Amino acid sequence: MSTWNYVVTAHKPTNVTHSCVGNFTSPQELNLIVAKCTRIEIHLLTAQGLQPMLDVPIYGRIATLELFRPHGEAQDFLFIATERYKFCVLQWDSETSELITRAMGDVSDRIGRPTDNGQIGIIDPDCRLIGLHLYDGLFKVIPFDNKGQLKEAFNIRLEELQVLDIKFLYGCSKPTIVVLYQDNKDARHVKTYEVALKEKDFVEGPWSQNNLDNGADLLIPVPPPLCGVLIVGEETIVYCSANAFKAIPIRPSITKAYGRVDADGSRYLLGDHAGLLHLLVITHEKEKVTGLKIELLGETSIASTISYLDNAVVFIGSSYGDSQLIKLNLQPDAKGSYVEVLERFVNLGPIVDFCVVDLERQGQGQVVTCSGAYKDGSLRVVRNGIGINEQASVELQGIKGMWSLRSSTDDPFDTFLVVSFISETRILAMNLEDELEETEIEGFNSQVQTLFCHDAVYNQLVQVTSSSVRLVSSTSRELLNEWHAPSGYSVNVATANATQVLLATGGGHLVYLEIGDGTLTEVKHAQLEYEISCLDINPIGENSNYSHLAAVGMWTDISVRIFSLPELNLITKEQLGGEIIPRSVLLCSFEGTSYLLCALGDGHLLNFQVNMSNGELTDRKKVSLGTQPITLRTFSSKNTTHVFASSDRPTVIYSSNKKLLYSNVNLKEVGHMCPFNSAAFPDSLAIAKEGELTIGTIDDIQKLHIRTIPLGEHARRICHQEQSRTFAICCLKNQSSADESEMHFIRLLDDQTLECISTYPLDTFEYGCSILSCSFSDDTNVYYCVGTAYVLPEENEPTKGRILVFIVEDGKLQLIAEKETKGAVYSLNAFNGKLLAAINQKIQLYKWMLREDGSREIQTECGHHGHILALYVKTRGDFIVVGDLMKSISLLIYKHEEGAIEERARDYNANWMSAVEILDDDTYLGAENNFNLFTVRKNSEGATDEERGRLEVIGEYHLGEFVNRFRHGSLVMRLPDSEVGQIQTVIFGTVNGAIGVIASLPHDQYVFLEKLQSNLRKVIKGVGGLSHEQWRSFNNEKRTAEAKNFLDGDLIESFLDLSRGKMEEVSKGMGVSVEELSKRVEELTRLH
Amino acid sequence: MMGYMLGDLPSFDPHNFSQLRPSDPSNPSKVVPTTYRPTHSRTSPPPDQVITTEAKNILIRNFYQRAEEKLRPKRAATEHPTPEHGCKQPRASTTWS
């Protein structure tokens, strides 16, 4: 059953829609605030660059973002309005580093037609009122009182119905707006109005200007002393005020964004649809405008927002490509550009299509997206988890332990790699050819298994075996000293650091030795009541060679204990609970916080914070990493220490923003790992896995890895073919010459290098609409099928298209067959060895036929009419699920005997679909254009035909994102024997560049998490006082309904970000321990 | 020409970006900010700052306003004999009709 679904973001939206600059976090600090659809990011300007401070989730899609300075305030406030007609005013409290809600409200009207050109929200430069244009013919005013408090809002009738832009004018004694609008003859004009607050009405303003550029779309208000407004068109830019009018022609372009450079408003940056950045200068004399000048500066990503920051550095926010930090140079570079890109910020949006592939064939999905638009189009390979890049590997069976050693204490690199087996120890070392070869350390006992090895002070090495501890010179490699286990006892477990050795023998004896120059001294001995299972004395205090604490894991009572060193006094004892013994303990420090990690034999990991002064253990948490015993080891990457947990599900444990994170390592099973930092393989790891010893480097430590393949053109469809190891994409290139504006292509890419190896150009006006890799019955070949449409300017809907069938031969696309269709081929599916196409309002099934001459052709078999436009089709068995342009989801069935397709059931709601997917035989998932998700179920048991013919809506949820594609699959390695491995997941990609996962949960887990979600709503409040319940409620033009059968995984997983106190508050409400809650939530985070 | 146009770009704090070196363009910025999870009481707005739109319809509001104006001039005429005030009202009322 896929009724109960959990929706979570794997990759947050990255499309930058708004940005602004001001003193938000302190009167002295300059901030850049960036809106990414449902999130805002607060950055601080520093000498080193932009420093991200906070990522703030907003319970709404941001329609307006403005900083303003109310009278008498030393800092700016932030005004945010959302598309669902909520707004809030936020203030930063620098003492607590919290966002305070100064005001919020609902600005919706019961009656009103939402504006076609988006919502407008503006603030009077003198802070007398906030103006909103949300519905045609209405201008909403939220007045400020003289103390800066907001008062009740009211509407004013606005005569202009087709408003393109509204801005406040500077320097007016009464608040004055300038309105750019289109009249019913499609001519564009500007008009000014004074807002009479007392009368709640408009008064004709000081000036107006008729008959502007037909492409005029943007107003830029000019601050004092010049005042007035710039009207930006496609062919002209005009400066207009009560007493001046200046115009300049520009090269035809659509200006998408502007940024003011100077406080006096004399210079502006303009970004156009092609990513060209211009500087617009208002020349003036004695505060009188004398003219306009415009110059091309260079190229950037296509900007959706431009913010001048400081010292010639500018932020370019983009919806179509990566956002950028650029510098404006006084001198042009070799290409004549004044723009230098300093930094770029990844943006996957818009994700138009994607596919899930397992390129490395490791059982882990990677998402390859068609991202970006126009010249900023790209493919992005998104992979979860940390990869190991293999440098060298040898076959070695039965490795029981590994340690790296240096040849002298101050050598920066490791020389030896000690590999222990059940009855011997082998030593590998790098030779002069930088190859690993076997060597000897004479002082070591190589006839037995090594329990532990470590570098020691004074150029010494320590080897612990079951019978003794050997101290060896690292230079002469000779034995210097040896401590023998008492007769009748053998050492079971041991650990050491540069100056200390701690070991345990049978019978619960704990022995502590200290290392001197050529000496091994038994300092202390203690007898514990049970056998010891694991030990650690990793120094995490001030002295990096000496630990004052020892961690000891115990059999029988299943506890972990902290002892003081050198006294071996018991400080803390923590019962672990359950019956599984601890197999590995590790003291470690992340971001200045000390932790004790304790791994159990069943793949669970406990972590505690350690108080270094009194050894106390607090903040116990538990996670499940795998099902097999775990071995813990620290390693360094880029000067930061992380922990590697070797097990059936290898994991890297690291810390980010003071929170422990667990990231999968993209390897199947790792028995042992040790860092091996040699001159030839710097910063590498030695990994023992599946009878193999591998040396490799590790990826950057982060959860998601994104590889960008810039295309310079817009990819719209992608598909992978396992057999030819290729991708095929449909893409379009915008020609620079105006007459033939676009050309569409099918391109074949190598799936490893992602380089284009073959191209098939489509006809003029022919668009690639769908692509599929499939095979047909009675034919062993695998083909790429492409569906196209001829998009003619004079047609409302295409009336002609083609289905093209290609085979990949010698790395080339060879056209095998083609078939003309009576419309656009919006979707292609492999169906019962045949080809199922969605063509305009029809579903059409084609057979793959062998002609007498041996060639192949596509032949029509049957079809089904009755859609407005059948845009999205998914199939399962004989069932066909269709997502219609405006008639929601319908279910069709193919009847073999009759060779016919019939409608079985449909959802009678009027949903405008953007994607569909089949969750199981009876449950289908849909996304629609009001940013909602919903599920419908087939009602096979219905009593009447009418009931059976109706798809019942069983789940509804407001995602707040426009979904372009669903695909079955997973971003993480799935272990069939784990609980999480049983959960079915669907991945989705959105216009804002978000990647999310929808997981179908068992009912009991859903009920549990639903309760957790409602408890979390009480503890985690919506920024700006916005309600989570309202945000997630299903909402379209007709109705709003509470979310059902979907849970917000982003809220649920934020449990892990809470302070201990707040976690306990939630735990009380749930009647479940914090440990259990965090374990269950942590498991969910491993779904993505 | 361009040098002149791009000269004297504003500087609020000369230190800002002074130590920033252009990064490898193939290597995007990876710093991840902390996600904000408000749990404090000041996330809720002050009770008097929960804003709604006045319920009165624009037409009704205008009727009342005009009715009030009809009464007002008797008093207003003595207090504010300025003709400016008088001439503004009719114009305002014509905007909706």
Side-chain angles (χ1 to χ4, degrees):
Chain A
M1 287 293 265
S2 309
T3 308
W4 303 287
N5 289 298
Y6 178 86
V7 185
V8 70
T9 310
H11 181 260
K12 290 172 190 170
T14 47
N15 162 13
V16 173
T17 51
H18 304 75
S19 67
C20 50
V21 180
N23 304 104
F24 185 63
T25 56
S26 122
Q28 289 78 38
E29 291 174 346
L30 205 52
N31 304 99
L32 168 69
I33 298 181
V34 169
K36 295 179 171 173
C37 186
T38 56
R39 312 187 82 90
I40 58 171
E41 268 176 24
I42 304 170
H43 298 258
L44 179 66
L45 274 63
T46 70
Q48 288 74 35
L50 275 184
Q51 179 193 318
M53 287 176 77
L54 216 53
D55 158 46
V56 183
I58 301 291
Y59 291 159
R61 290 168 56 85
I62 295 162
T64 305
L65 181 81
E66 291 275 353
L67 279 169
F68 68 102
R69 181 82 57 102
H71 294 292
E73 294 289 342
Q75 269 163 262
D76 292 330
F77 287 15
L78 186 64
F79 170 80
I80 298 171
T82 71
E83 288 182 10
R84 283 173 71 177
Y85 306 103
K86 301 284 191 289
F87 83 92
C88 60
V89 175
L90 303 177
Q91 181 190 7
W92 181 261
D93 180 10
S94 46
E95 273 174 34
T96 56
S97 291
E98 299 272 13
L99 286 167
I100 301 167
T101 306
R102 290 298 297 247
M104 67 90 66
D106 186 325
V107 284
S108 63
D109 286 325
R110 231 155 34 87
I111 301 163
R113 182 181 179 280
T115 52
D116 286 333
N117 297 316
Q119 303 181 358
I120 295 171
I122 46 175
I123 299 171
D124 171 40
D126 294 312
C127 261
R128 290 164 290 198
L129 63 103
I130 295 170
L132 298 164
H133 180 54
L134 310 173
Y135 302 96
D136 284 346
L138 289 174
F139 186 77
K140 179 157 296 191
V141 173
I142 315 174
F144 286 96
D145 68 10
N146 45 19
K147 293 187 197 94
Q149 299 281 300
L150 289 174
K151 298 195 290 185
E152 187 181 54
F154 60 86
N155 284 319
I156 302 178
R157 273 236 2 223
L158 180 66
E159 273 181 51
E160 291 68 37
L161 291 177
Q162 284 194 72
V163 170
L164 300 161
D165 200 3
I166 306 181
K167 291 283 159 63
F168 276 104
L169 287 176
Y170 285 90
C172 297
S173 58
K174 295 211 175 89
T176 305
I177 58 168
V178 50
V179 181
L180 172 65
Y181 66 98
Q182 185 166 313
D183 67 16
N184 49 19
K185 295 187 190 78
D186 287 354
R188 295 189 178 185
H189 321 281
V190 288
K191 201 168 178 183
T192 57
Y193 290 108
E194 285 178 2
V195 182
L197 286 169
K198 197 151 155 276
E199 292 78 18
K200 300 186 176 175
D201 211 339
F202 284 139
V203 176
E204 290 286 328
W207 55 270
S208 62
Q209 179 66 49
N210 286 343
N211 299 317
L212 298 160
D213 186 333
N214 269 337
D217 199 40
L218 176 69
L219 296 173
I220 305 177
V222 180
L226 304 172
C227 301
V229 69
L230 290 161
I231 305 158
V232 184
E234 287 175 10
E235 287 166 346
T236 54
I237 296 177
V238 169
Y239 170 82
C240 223
S241 71
N243 40 31
F245 181 92
K246 302 282 174 202
I248 49 161
I250 54 170
R251 270 188 289 182
S253 67
I254 303 165
T255 302
K256 308 281 270 187
Y258 79 94
R260 190 174 82 199
V261 176
D262 305 282
D264 72 354
S266 53
R267 285 180 290 187
Y268 297 86
L269 293 165
L270 303 182
D272 75 5
H273 67 293
L276 297 181
L277 187 69
H278 287 88
L279 185 72
L280 175 69
V281 183
I282 306 179
T283 55
H284 51 94
E285 253 172 65
K286 294 183 188 142
E287 302 187 358
K288 280 225 157 30
V289 174
T290 54
L292 298 171
K293 276 185 202 160
I294 190 158
E295 285 295 336
L296 175 66
L297 296 181
E299 191 184 321
T300 66
S301 291
I302 300 169
S304 54
T305 168
I306 298 175
S307 287
Y308 180 87
L309 301 173
D310 202 354
N311 303 319
V313 177
V314 178
F315 176 75
I316 306 284
S318 181
S319 297
Y320 296 145
D322 289 342
S323 293
Q324 295 168 324
L325 198 63
I326 61 162
K327 189 166 201 272
L328 303 176
N329 290 321
L330 272 174
Q331 298 303 324
D333 63 13
K335 289 176 192 154
S337 171
Y338 295 85
V339 174
E340 179 187 8
V341 178
L342 299 177
E343 210 172 339
R344 78 186 170 92
F345 308 94
V346 162
N347 170 29
L348 298 190
I351 298 175
V352 189
D353 191 11
F354 70 91
C355 60
V356 187
V357 290
D358 179 12
L359 292 179
E360 262 106 60
R361 299 184 178 178
Q362 287 179 330
Q364 167 163 16
Q366 298 181 18
V367 165
V368 184
T369 65
C370 293
S371 283
Y374 310 110
K375 73 167 183 86
D376 294 334
S378 62
L379 299 181
R380 312 274 176 146
V381 184
V382 183
R383 176 168 56 80
N384 178 293
I386 296 170
I388 303 286
N389 312 304
E390 205 173 291
Q391 308 280 325
S393 101
V394 282
E395 217 171 284
L396 269 181
Q397 299 281 348
I399 296 175
K400 291 284 165 199
M402 283 194 301
W403 300 269
S404 54
L405 298 174
R406 294 190 294 258
S407 55
S408 71
T409 306
D410 48 8
D411 190 339
F413 291 113
D414 297 320
T415 303
F416 305 110
L417 184 64
V418 180
V419 186
S420 168
F421 300 87
I422 196 88
S423 58
E424 61 167 338
T425 296
R426 288 185 187 174
I427 295 151
L428 305 174
M430 302 302 299
N431 67 15
L432 293 172
E433 276 82 51
D434 283 339
E435 284 169 347
L436 215 49
E437 65 175 17
E438 203 157 343
T439 181
E440 265 185 77
I441 297 176
E442 291 78 4
F444 273 17
N445 181 354
S446 56
Q447 312 303 313
V448 295
Q449 179 181 352
T450 298
L451 297 176
F452 202 86
C453 267
H454 207 279
D455 296 303
V457 285
Y458 306 114
N459 294 333
Q460 301 176 106
L461 308 171
V462 176
Q463 181 197 25
V464 186
T465 66
S466 63
S467 57
S468 74
V469 179
R470 298 167 78 93
L471 188 66
V472 175
S473 161
S474 63
T475 45
S476 72
R477 303 188 186 182
E478 277 163 13
L479 184 69
L480 300 174
N481 207 325
E482 188 167 14
W483 175 92
H484 290 279
S487 62
Y489 287 97
S490 72
V491 179
N492 292 335
V493 283
T495 187
N497 59 41
T499 62
Q500 301 165 295
V501 180
L502 186 68
L503 56 87
T505 68
H509 292 280
L510 194 59
V511 180
Y512 171 64
L513 313 175
E514 286 189 355
I515 302 165
D517 192 355
T519 61
L520 270 175
T521 318
E522 183 176 325
V523 177
K524 194 77 190 176
H525 166 258
Q527 174 154 26
L528 310 185
E529 55 273 47
Y530 309 112
E531 296 287 344
I532 291 153
S533 62
C534 50
L535 298 167
D536 187 59
I537 53 169
N538 184 30
I540 51 170
E542 278 163 24
N543 187 339
S544 62
N545 283 336
Y546 188 94
S547 177
H548 286 282
L549 297 179
V552 177
M554 305 289 292
W555 287 81
T556 316
D557 74 341
I558 316 287
S559 67
V560 62
R561 303 175 186 199
I562 301 286
F563 290 87
S564 68
L565 293 178
E567 303 85 3
L568 281 187
N569 289 335
L570 178 67
I571 307 178
T572 311
K573 177 171 152 185
E574 178 83 22
Q575 295 299 139
L576 301 179
E579 289 166 357
I580 313 295
I581 58 154
R583 288 298 186 97
S584 183
V585 283
L586 183 69
L587 291 160
C588 57
S589 168
F590 293 118
E591 294 186 293
T593 306
S594 301
Y595 293 90
L596 172 68
L597 305 182
C598 176
L600 307 184
D602 62 353
H604 280 87
L605 179 80
L606 287 145
N607 75 67
F608 306 87
Q609 289 196 19
V610 186
N611 182 326
M612 290 305 288
S613 50
N614 61 17
E616 217 172 62
L617 300 178
T618 56
D619 284 16
R620 169 174 168 148
K621 283 190 193 139
K622 192 176 186 180
V623 293
S624 164
L625 297 187
T627 57
Q628 300 297 313
I630 300 168
T631 315
L632 300 167
R633 272 293 182 87
T634 57
F635 70 97
S636 283
S637 164
K638 302 220 163 107
N639 300 319
T640 313
T641 301
H642 313 290
V643 170
F644 193 103
S646 305
S647 75
D648 58 332
R649 193 174 187 188
T651 303
V652 168
I653 304 160
Y654 62 106
S655 171
S656 172
N657 299 318
K658 294 261 174 190
K659 184 179 146 190
L660 285 192
L661 296 175
Y662 305 87
S663 202
N664 306 321
V665 178
N666 297 338
L667 292 174
K668 273 203 182 113
E669 186 160 359
V670 171
H672 297 273
M673 186 293 304
C674 91
F676 186 58
N677 177 30
S678 66
F681 300 123
D683 251 351
S684 295
L685 306 180
I687 290 168
K689 59 171 170 89
E690 296 161 356
E692 205 177 63
L693 170 64
T694 299
I695 303 213
T697 54
I698 191 155
D699 277 347
D700 288 343
I701 305 301
Q702 60 190 24
K703 218 172 163 176
L704 279 187
H705 291 260
I706 297 168
R707 178 177 157 206
T708 302
I709 298 96
L711 296 173
E713 58 185 23
H714 186 171
R716 297 177 68 234
R717 295 289 179 268
I718 186 166
C719 164
H720 184 247
Q721 192 169 78
E722 177 77 35
Q723 291 78 5
S724 62
R725 307 238 65 180
T726 55
F727 287 103
I729 58 173
C730 301
C731 54
L732 67 107
K733 195 168 186 74
N734 291 79
Q735 309 299 82
S736 43
S737 63
D739 47 329
E740 234 177 295
S741 60
E742 321 186 321
M743 269 303 289
H744 292 249
F745 302 95
I746 311 302
R747 294 196 196 276
L748 188 71
L749 312 175
D750 179 283
D751 78 355
Q752 295 298 309
T753 63
L754 289 146
E755 273 168 18
C756 178
I757 50 176
S758 176
T759 296
Y760 181 88
L762 295 177
D763 292 344
T764 314
F765 298 119
E766 190 181 21
Y767 284 42
C769 297
S770 48
I771 196 159
L772 169 75
S773 166
C774 70
S775 55
F776 299 102
S777 33
D778 310 322
D779 187 349
T780 51
N781 291 321
V782 184
Y783 300 96
Y784 275 120
C785 301
V786 176
T788 74
Y790 286 88
V791 182
L792 305 174
E794 62 272 19
E795 285 182 347
N796 283 330
E797 287 299 332
T799 54
K800 191 181 135 185
R802 283 197 294 171
I803 293 171
L804 306 169
V805 181
F806 296 97
I807 194 162
V808 178
E809 264 174 11
D810 306 326
K812 294 262 179 315
L813 280 172
Q814 303 284 357
L815 186 65
I816 295 292
E818 70 175 289
K819 174 97 184 161
E820 199 175 299
T821 61
K822 288 182 182 151
V825 184
Y826 289 114
S827 176
L828 286 173
N829 277 269
F831 188 75
N832 286 296
K834 297 167 185 169
L835 184 64
L836 186 74
I839 302 162
N840 285 12
Q841 54 282 94
K842 196 174 175 189
I843 299 295
Q844 183 80 47
L845 187 63
Y846 294 99
K847 289 183 282 199
W848 186 236
M849 299 301 284
L850 190 65
R851 288 204 199 97
E852 281 183 359
D853 63 357
S855 65
R856 299 274 182 175
E857 71 171 327
I858 311 169
Q859 244 177 41
T860 307
E861 180 176 333
C862 62
H864 177 264
H865 283 274
H867 305 276
I868 305 291
L869 283 180
L871 295 180
Y872 315 101
V873 176
K874 291 288 163 93
T875 64
R876 190 175 179 117
D878 293 337
F879 286 103
I880 302 163
V881 172
V882 181
D884 189 79
L885 173 73
M886 52 190 290
K887 291 208 306 184
S888 195
I889 295 178
S890 53
L891 175 69
L892 313 179
I893 187 167
Y894 172 61
K895 296 195 163 164
H896 289 263
E897 313 80 53
E898 295 145 55
I901 297 173
E902 285 174 12
E903 182 178 301
R904 172 58 69 87
R906 66 161 54 244
D907 170 26
Y908 286 89
N909 291 303
N911 290 318
W912 291 60
M913 302 305 295
S914 68
V916 295
E917 189 52 272
I918 299 176
L919 292 179
D920 63 32
D921 284 346
D922 300 330
T923 316
Y924 319 120
L925 171 69
E928 53 84 272
N929 78 334
N930 284 295
F931 319 110
N932 298 299
L933 296 178
F934 65 98
T935 46
V936 292
R937 189 199 283 146
K938 182 172 81 180
N939 185 6
S940 316
E941 275 79 54
T944 62
D945 281 351
E946 200 279 330
E947 276 175 36
R948 284 190 295 272
R950 191 178 285 275
L951 291 174
E952 180 196 0
V953 178
I954 53 168
E956 290 182 310
Y957 182 75
H958 189 72
L959 180 66
E961 287 276 344
F962 190 98
V963 175
N964 269 326
R965 183 69 78 193
F966 290 120
R967 298 269 187 211
H968 279 282
S970 168
L971 275 166
V972 294
M973 191 104 69
R974 305 305 287 274
L975 291 178
D977 51 347
S978 73
E979 209 175 297
V980 174
Q982 307 297 324
I983 296 174
Q984 281 299 316
T985 55
V986 166
I987 302 174
F988 61 84
T990 78
V991 165
N992 286 305
I995 296 175
V997 173
I998 299 171
S1000 300
L1001 301 179
H1003 187 240
D1004 56 338
Q1005 193 180 6
Y1006 181 89
V1007 171
F1008 177 83
L1009 293 174
E1010 190 175 37
K1011 191 173 169 198
L1012 178 57
Q1013 174 176 277
S1014 67
N1015 275 284
L1016 280 167
R1017 274 178 180 158
K1018 292 176 205 151
V1019 173
I1020 300 177
K1021 308 200 167 72
V1023 172
L1026 302 175
S1027 148
H1028 180 266
E1029 225 163 328
Q1030 284 180 27
W1031 162 229
R1032 292 308 183 189
S1033 62
F1034 179 94
N1035 170 261
N1036 62 19
E1037 294 93 347
K1038 293 206 184 83
R1039 66 186 191 97
T1040 300
E1042 213 175 300
K1044 64 176 178 188
N1045 286 333
F1046 281 100
L1047 292 177
D1048 184 353
D1050 293 345
L1051 177 64
I1052 288 171
E1053 290 174 22
S1054 64
F1055 173 79
L1056 300 170
D1057 295 340
L1058 292 178
S1059 67
R1060 190 72 184 189
K1062 292 291 172 187
M1063 281 188 178
E1064 269 153 18
E1065 205 178 312
V1066 177
S1067 152
K1068 254 187 223 129
M1070 291 289 292
V1072 179
S1073 72
V1074 170
E1075 186 185 323
E1076 175 67 15
L1077 281 177
S1078 30
K1079 179 179 159 251
R1080 292 187 72 160
V1081 177
E1082 198 76 62
E1083 257 161 37
L1084 292 167
T1085 65
R1086 307 202 94 201
L1087 280 171
H1088 55 91
Chain B
M1 168 67 185
M2 277 305 289
Y4 157 73
M5 283 173 76
L6 272 178
D8 293 325
L9 288 172
S11 175
F12 306 104
D13 177 348
H15 291 110
N16 281 337
F17 303 109
S18 57
Q19 291 167 35
L20 177 66
R21 298 287 161 262
S23 61
D24 173 8
S26 65
N27 208 5
S29 175
K30 277 180 191 140
V31 194
V32 185
T34 317
T35 300
Y36 185 54
R37 306 288 179 196
T39 53
H40 61 96
S41 60
R42 288 193 296 170
T43 301
S44 311
D48 65 333
Q49 286 294 284
V50 179
I51 308 300
T52 51
T53 309
E54 71 168 13
K56 211 182 287 171
N57 178 289
I58 299 177
L59 178 67
I60 307 284
R61 183 177 77 205
N62 233 291
F63 278 139
Y64 280 114
Q65 263 174 359
R66 278 207 285 183
E68 262 175 54
E69 278 154 23
K70 273 182 190 161
L71 295 172
R72 205 187 292 152
K74 289 174 191 166
R75 282 174 284 137
T78 53
E79 282 170 36
H80 303 283
T82 47
E84 189 190 11
H85 184 74
C87 82
K88 234 178 203 174
Q89 300 308 327
R91 203 204 283 176
S93 61
T94 54
T95 41
W96 66 267
S97 54

